[in-house]
């Protein structure tokens, strides 16, 4: 009796459908305060002054903090969770990513200040009293344009706005195949930026136990263990034994809740300062600015064919928008890096493959690809192709595809 195709009864549905789920925003801790984060309205600007005096005097306000307060307390920046080296062996550019902006903002929604108050309404009202002096500067909005000479420089640590230039493949073999090709098919693809927009907005609660010196973070996260490592070791410098991260029910994530976000560090640090729990929940429009966006790739593909239309070689070059900082804890072969910024720091990756070459994992445009002589192992979303079918001998997430690719010819140019 086969079990393939047999429906599996879900066990968790009853609790969720009857309102029995427990999400982070459902949790309230004793004495809890509320945080409201003031964000930049500019894609790129210099901060010349921040005046919080009026906000600190507002009703119900317990504290107002800026990036300089966190730096003075020894708080580090958000780290990149995965290092990549360029094809020349040089390490990727990793510009500083302060939890709260210090002297410059680099994207719309960049965190500038946080107001802690007895109620969310009081925190929101007080945030309107924070006076920030900006000197707006030119912004690089599109990834391809950001790589052009003369484009606005987003970070001095990333010259030319390039994070890394990465490549895999056998270039001489591929060039030889292209030289003898009867036809070369070219295609330009735009994998547009998207907002994940989960049903549950992100929410965090930071708590500090004065008796034990231990911190607890409740967060809508798909990756609590990595958050504890990154936030404890690199941002707040808290030993892991004194930091507990709790991920309750999560109402959708789509990968956007994998990352360690600034708000997690803000409320955890603030709880230690005010000695009371601090809660923050994103508004829907705020999530559009602060959550990790997806995609935003510009890809150029070239396919070499012989006279019988057999594939000889493939070249893929992708420019991917990663934003002004690179905190993605994911390698480039699964490119869900954070292209949420209005001022991009692109990465450039190139796939070069020739059928008949040794089997290797080749990567570009967020896809894992290994090319064989007559078949390819491709993620289903990367190419429209005929006769996809599961292959039990391969990893669960891979599919077999024959090499007859069904893509509308009007999108191709022939030479």
């Amino acid at each position: 009796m086969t079990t393939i195709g047999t429906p599996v009864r879900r066990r968790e549905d009853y609790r969720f459908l009857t309102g029995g789920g427990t999400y982070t925003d459902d949790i309230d801790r004793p004495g809890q305060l509320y945080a409201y984060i003031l964000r930049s309205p500019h894609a790129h600007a210099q901060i010349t002054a921040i005046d919080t005096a009026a906000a600190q005097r507002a009703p119900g306000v317990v504290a107002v903090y800026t990036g300089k307060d966190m730096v003075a307390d020894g708080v580090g920046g958000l780290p990149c969770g995965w290092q990549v080296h360029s094809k020349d062996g040089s390490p990727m550019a990793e510009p500083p990513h302060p939890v709260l902006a210090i002297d410059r903002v680099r994207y719309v929604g960049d965190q500038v200040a946080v107001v802690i108050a007895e109620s969310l309404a009081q925190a929101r009202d007080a945030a309107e009293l924070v006076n920030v002096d900006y000197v707006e500067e030119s912004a690089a909005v599109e990834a391809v344009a950001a790589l052009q000479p003369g484009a606005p420089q987003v970070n001095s640590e990333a010259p030319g706005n390039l994070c890394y230039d990465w490549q895999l493949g056998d270039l001489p073999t591929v060039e030889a195949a292209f030289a003898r090709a009867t036809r070369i098919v070219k295609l330009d693809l735009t994998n547009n930026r998207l907002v994940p927009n989960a049903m549950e907005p992100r929410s965090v609660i930071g708590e500090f136990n004065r008796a034990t010196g231990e911190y607890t973070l409740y967060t809508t996260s798909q990756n609590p263990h990595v958050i504890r490592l990154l936030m404890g070791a690199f941002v707040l410098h808290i030993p892991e034994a004194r930091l507990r991260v709790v991920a309750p029910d999560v109402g959708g994530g789509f990968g956007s809740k994998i990352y360690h976000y600034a708000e997690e560090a803000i409320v955890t640090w603030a709880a230690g300062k005010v000695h009371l729990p601090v809660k923050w929940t994103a508004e829907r429009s705020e999530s559009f600015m602060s959550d990790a966006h997806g995609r935003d790739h510009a890809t150029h593909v070239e396919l070499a064919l012989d006279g019988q239309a057999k594939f000889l070689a493939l070249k893929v070059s992708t420019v991917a928008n990663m934003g002004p900082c690179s905190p993605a804890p994911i390698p480039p072969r699964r490119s869900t890096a954070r292209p949420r910024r209005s001022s991009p720091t692109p990465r450039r990756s190139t796939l070069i493959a020739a059928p008949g070459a040794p089997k290797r994992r080749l990567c570009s445009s967020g896809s894992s690809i290994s090319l064989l002589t007559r078949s390819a192992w491709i993620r289903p979303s990367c190419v429209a192709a005929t006769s996809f079918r599961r292959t039990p001998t391969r990893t669960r997430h891979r599919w077999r595809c024959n090499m007859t690719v069904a893509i509308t010819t009007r999108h191709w140019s022939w030479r």
Side-chain angles (χ1 to χ4, degrees):
M1 178 179 177
T2 181
T3 59
I4 297 177
T6 303
V8 178
R9 183 175 294 277
R10 293 163 56 91
R11 299 181 178 182
E12 68 272 25
D13 291 353
Y14 180 82
R15 180 166 64 91
F16 292 122
L17 292 174
T18 57
T22 302
Y23 301 94
T24 303
D25 194 51
D26 294 326
I27 300 171
D28 289 311
R29 304 298 298 160
Q32 175 179 282
L33 302 175
Y34 295 83
Y36 184 86
I37 296 174
L38 181 66
R39 300 182 182 275
S40 167
H42 304 293
H44 194 197
Q46 181 183 356
I47 298 175
T48 58
I50 302 178
D51 184 0
T52 63
Q56 291 174 343
R57 295 192 299 266
V61 171
V62 176
V64 181
Y65 298 113
T66 66
K68 291 183 178 179
D69 296 319
M70 300 192 80
V71 170
D73 213 34
V75 176
L78 298 174
C80 177
W82 196 284
Q83 294 291 328
V84 179
H85 285 71
S86 294
K87 60 187 178 184
D88 62 1
S90 60
M92 59 178 276
E94 187 180 356
H97 188 184
V99 178
L100 288 174
I102 300 171
D103 55 7
R104 186 175 295 275
V105 292
R106 293 182 171 86
Y107 61 96
V108 173
D110 204 349
Q111 300 82 214
V112 176
V114 58
V115 179
I116 313 295
E118 295 172 359
S119 72
L120 178 58
Q122 290 172 328
R124 184 188 294 111
D125 291 343
E128 295 183 1
L129 301 176
V130 177
N131 186 23
V132 183
D133 291 335
Y134 295 103
V135 177
E136 190 173 1
E137 299 182 2
S138 299
V141 179
E142 296 181 355
V144 175
L147 293 175
Q148 303 306 312
Q153 182 71 38
V154 179
N155 280 293
S156 59
E157 294 83 1
N161 295 325
L162 183 63
C163 182
Y164 58 84
D165 189 354
W166 176 82
Q167 176 179 296
L168 280 180
D170 187 348
L171 181 58
T173 302
V174 168
E175 294 295 355
F178 269 80
R180 68 175 186 272
T182 304
R183 284 179 173 176
I184 296 177
V185 183
K186 299 180 180 180
L187 174 66
D188 288 302
L189 296 170
T190 299
N191 197 349
N192 61 281
R193 178 190 295 221
L194 55 82
V195 178
N197 197 21
M199 189 180 301
E200 175 205 24
R202 287 191 300 114
S203 181
V204 291
I205 304 171
E207 191 170 12
F208 176 66
N209 189 322
R210 296 179 66 182
T212 63
E214 296 176 348
Y215 293 82
T216 301
L217 170 69
Y218 300 86
T219 179
T220 52
S221 174
Q222 301 170 257
N223 217 3
H225 297 285
V226 171
I227 289 173
R228 185 176 72 156
L229 170 64
L230 296 178
M231 187 174 73
F234 299 100
V235 185
L236 301 184
H237 311 298
I238 302 172
E240 284 192 73
R242 290 172 47 201
L243 176 60
R244 180 173 177 240
V245 177
V246 180
D249 294 330
V250 177
F254 313 106
S256 67
K257 293 177 180 175
I258 291 176
Y259 306 99
H260 171 34
Y261 285 95
E263 294 84 3
E264 294 165 330
I266 290 171
V267 299
T268 305
W269 173 79
K273 301 294 288 183
V274 301
H275 297 158
L276 286 171
V278 178
K279 183 178 188 176
W280 170 84
T281 299
E283 299 175 352
R284 181 61 63 185
S285 58
E286 188 177 20
S287 294
F288 278 34
M289 294 188 293
S290 64
D291 288 7
H293 289 186
R295 315 295 190 264
D296 204 353
H297 297 171
T299 298
H300 179 73
V301 185
E302 295 188 11
L303 178 65
L305 305 98
D306 65 11
Q308 287 72 47
K310 291 183 179 179
F311 289 13
L312 300 178
L314 174 70
K315 292 193 292 187
V316 180
S317 180
T318 293
V319 175
N321 187 350
M322 298 187 71
C325 309
S326 306
I330 298 177
R333 65 183 176 87
R334 295 183 181 179
S335 175
T336 52
R338 293 166 62 120
R340 63 188 175 96
R341 320 300 189 182
S342 294
S343 307
T345 302
R347 76 162 198 260
R348 179 185 286 126
S349 57
T350 304
L351 179 154
I352 305 170
K359 181 181 177 183
R360 298 180 62 182
R361 172 166 289 179
L362 303 174
C363 320
S364 181
S365 191
S367 303
S368 277
I369 302 176
S370 296
L371 288 183
L372 303 178
T373 304
R374 293 290 298 168
S375 63
W377 300 94
I378 303 178
R379 290 191 178 277
S381 63
C382 75
V383 170
T386 61
S387 65
F388 279 111
R389 63 182 178 87
R390 282 197 181 277
T391 306
T393 57
R394 293 288 172 177
T395 308
R396 179 170 60 90
H397 295 297
R398 296 184 185 176
W399 295 65
R400 185 174 183 182
C401 160
N402 70 14
M403 295 297 278
T404 306
V405 181
I407 299 180
T408 309
T409 45
R410 60 189 171 89
H411 295 304
W412 297 81
S413 63
W414 293 76
R415 189 191 75 181

